Amino acid sequence: MAAGVLQIYRLLYRYFGPQHWWPAETPFEVSVGAILTQNTSWVNVEKAIRRLREYRLLTPRRMFAVSDKKLAAVIRPAGCYAVKARRLRHFLAFLGPDCGTGLRALAAVTTSTLRRQLLNVNGIGPETADSILLFALNKPLFVVDGYTRRIFARHDLIAVDAAYDRIQAFCMRGLPREAKLFNEYHALLVRLGKDYCRKRNPGCARCPLKGIM
């Protein structure tokens, strides 16, 4: 069954081509986006990111210096803005009181250690932690999101209620351990989920994975 994970990747890559994911300019911006995208659409996150850029707050040092009230107001388009402002503040505290080095110092920390540390940050769960690790720090971890769960469950590769870590381990067993591949795979699954494997009214008859399982 794990071999099917690689087969799906090859079919999607051939069908859609490279997706050039994640849409951000810096590792810190990736991390901010990963936190803001919790329980909202990427369209809303993009609005919040644009506002952070307009206010010149997309560096750890500048964001650390602004008040919680101001930060919450700026990221308002992302929804749950007061909660997410606190989560960003917790992440900044994790980076350190000075915040001057951004995420550069984290690259030298082992993936397993850094993942444990991120999961101890208030408001950061497995998907957010792994998104930061993969997309911001180029660590080879497969990110499991709602699209991943829906697509693989519909193809009988996983149980619909399977735990996050169980799905992640299953996917990583069937793939080369390469950050670039995990990055591309995630983006391809997002594309498939948005265009075909929708939660309601899925386009199964036109799906590029039709009939492979």
Side-chain angles (χ1 to χ4, degrees), residues 75-143:
I75 65 169
R76 188 184 186 95
C80 302
Y81 47 92
V83 172
K84 290 180 180 180
R86 288 196 296 272
R87 290 175 179 173
L88 288 171
R89 188 68 68 195
H90 293 317
F91 180 65
L92 291 169
F94 166 73
L95 292 181
D98 178 60
C99 293
T101 60
L103 278 77
R104 291 192 302 273
L106 301 182
V109 182
T110 64
T111 302
S112 59
T113 297
L114 189 51
R115 189 175 194 266
R116 285 196 301 271
Q117 292 174 347
L118 283 169
L119 289 174
N120 282 328
V121 176
N122 190 299
I124 292 184
E127 182 182 341
T128 303
D130 291 341
S131 293
I132 293 170
L133 290 165
L134 175 61
F135 300 115
L137 297 172
N138 206 38
K139 301 284 189 180
L141 280 172
F142 192 95
V143 176

Side-chain angles (χ1 to χ4, degrees), residues 139-176:
K139 301 284 189 180
L141 280 172
F142 192 95
V143 176
V144 177
D145 65 356
Y147 293 120
T148 308
R149 185 181 297 274
R150 184 191 310 155
I151 292 165
F152 288 169
R154 284 178 173 173
H155 285 85
D156 296 322
L157 289 172
I158 63 167
V160 70
D161 59 348
Y164 181 100
D165 289 345
R166 192 176 185 87
I167 299 172
Q168 183 184 63
F170 169 75
C171 292
M172 291 179 67
R173 281 199 305 272
L175 297 169

